[in-house]
């Protein structure tokens, strides 16, 4: 095998730190509406990657079937609402709770794969599902003790996990016929259009944001996306999908540490307990499904450049 120019685990570490910044940037955006923050993240990300993709893969667009355009559009809609739900959840609940609950996406994805693709559950997968459910309930219970709005944020984070699952499951099918960058550009573009229409209908202003907020919009488009998931794509050449999946599970830990350091958000003992149980369950889930089906967390690695 070709020797990597940089140690893959160093790149993996940079990727984990980068994706961990996403929730922090959303919090730092302050009063910027969640739907507008999501809109500019996807619009700028699509705009930055469009010249390269259109230069390298222009011929591929001519051969995309109408059905695939439709599926990619629906995928983009799912992605748009994933960001609306997740970013809005960060307005109500802590970074730790929100990121942990969004990380339950592989559980929803495997359930969807069972329903739509007839994937089989192993005993280990079923056990890990119950473990993550227990951890989620503990987190929700702890947040409810703090405030009803914190629990509402938890529910929005779960809806974010559900909608991103739709994005990944559709992408799983489309990626059999489209290249990674082509599919990603279409999905990001459709998501940006969806968010633009949503903001127009909701009467959300597209202007009037501070220089710091515009910087955050750009940072969201660049750091978690290109220095996060695109680096995971690069490491797939030298590391196993399971290894990268495990690394992605470090995002809640990284985000929580950054929230403590930058936002001064403390973590309650209930969040520590529930979060530890959720992460343990997700690790069990990945290990028990790796041989049966490629872990869904690596679909996230593959779908976002």
């Amino acid at each position: 095998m070709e020797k990597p120019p940089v140690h893959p685990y160093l790149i993996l570490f940079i990727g984990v730190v980068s994706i961990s910044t996403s929730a922090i940037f959303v919090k730092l955006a302050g009063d910027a509406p969640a739907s507008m923050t999501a809109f500019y993240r996807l619009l700028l990300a699509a705009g930055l990657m469009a010249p390269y993709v259109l230069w390298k893969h222009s011929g591929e667009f001519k051969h995309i079937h109408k059905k695939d355009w439709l599926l990619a559009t629906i995928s983009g809609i799912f992605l748009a609402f994933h960001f609306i739900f997740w970013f809005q959840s960060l307005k109500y609940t802590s970074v730790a709770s929100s990121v942990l609950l969004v990380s339950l996406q592989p559980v929803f994805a495997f359930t969807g794969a069972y329903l739509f693709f007839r994937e089989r559950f192993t005993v280990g997968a079923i056990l890990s599902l119950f473990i993550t459910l227990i951890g989620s309930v503990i987190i929700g219970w702890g947040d409810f003790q703090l405030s009803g709005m914190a629990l509402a944020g938890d529910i929005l984070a779960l809806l974010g996990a559900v909608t991103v699952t739709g994005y990944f499951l559709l992408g799983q099918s489309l990626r059999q016929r489209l290249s990674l960058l082509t599919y990603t550009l279409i999905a990001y573009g459709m998501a940006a259009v969806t968010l633009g229409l949503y903001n127009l209908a909701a009467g959300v202003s597209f202007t009037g944001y501070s220089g710091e907020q515009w910087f955050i919009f750009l940072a969201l488009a660049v750091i978690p996306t290109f220095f996060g998931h695109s680096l995971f794509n690069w490491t797939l050449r030298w590391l196993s999908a399971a290894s990268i999946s495990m690394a992605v599970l470090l995002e809640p830990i990284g985000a929580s540490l950054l929230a403590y350091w930058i936002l001064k958000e403390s973590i309650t003992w209930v969040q520590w307990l529930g979060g530890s149980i959720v992460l343990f369950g997700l690790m069990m889930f990945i290990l028990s499904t790796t041989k049966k089906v490629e872990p869904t967390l690596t679909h996230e690695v593959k779908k976002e450049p």
Side-chain angles (χ1 to χ4, degrees), residues 130-141:
F130 279 109
I131 292 174
T132 56
L133 178 62
I134 292 170
S136 303
V137 170
I138 291 174
I139 292 172
W141 175 79

Side-chain angles (χ1 to χ4, degrees), residues 172-279:
Q172 182 178 350
S173 171
L174 287 166
R175 280 284 286 115
Q176 296 176 12
R177 300 179 295 279
L178 303 178
S179 67
L180 168 67
L181 291 177
T182 298
Y183 165 71
T184 302
L185 178 60
I186 294 173
Y188 279 18
M190 294 303 179
V193 169
T194 300
L195 286 162
L197 294 174
Y198 176 91
N199 286 313
L200 280 173
V204 181
S205 176
F206 286 79
T207 58
Y209 302 105
S210 67
E212 181 180 345
Q213 288 171 322
W214 284 112
F215 171 79
I216 288 171
F217 297 156
L218 179 61
L220 277 167
V222 174
I223 297 176
T225 304
F226 298 112
F227 286 98
H229 299 295
S230 60
L231 292 185
F232 290 143
N233 289 329
W234 182 86
T235 59
L236 278 170
R237 186 170 182 178
W238 290 280
L239 301 178
S240 70
S243 297
I244 297 172
S245 297
M246 289 296 186
V248 173
L249 289 183
L250 295 174
E251 179 187 0
I253 299 173
S256 298
L257 292 174
L258 288 174
Y260 177 79
W261 177 47
I262 298 172
L263 305 175
K264 309 305 179 185
E265 282 192 3
S266 59
I267 303 176
T268 66
W269 71 268
V270 176
Q271 288 174 321
W272 276 113
L273 176 62
S276 299
I277 293 173
V278 166
L279 290 176

Side-chain angles (χ1 to χ4, degrees), residues 74-96:
I74 297 172
S75 176
I77 293 172
F78 273 120
L79 182 62
F81 279 93
H82 156 68
F83 281 120
I84 290 174
F85 289 136
W86 181 36
F87 285 6
Q88 191 63 41
S89 78
L90 289 162
K91 305 287 185 180
Y92 300 138
T93 192
S94 66
V95 168

Side-chain angles (χ1 to χ4, degrees), residues 9-24:
Y9 283 108
L10 174 60
I11 300 301
L12 201 59
F13 173 77
I14 295 172
V16 169
V17 174
S18 297
I19 64 172
S20 298
T21 64
S22 185
I24 308 302

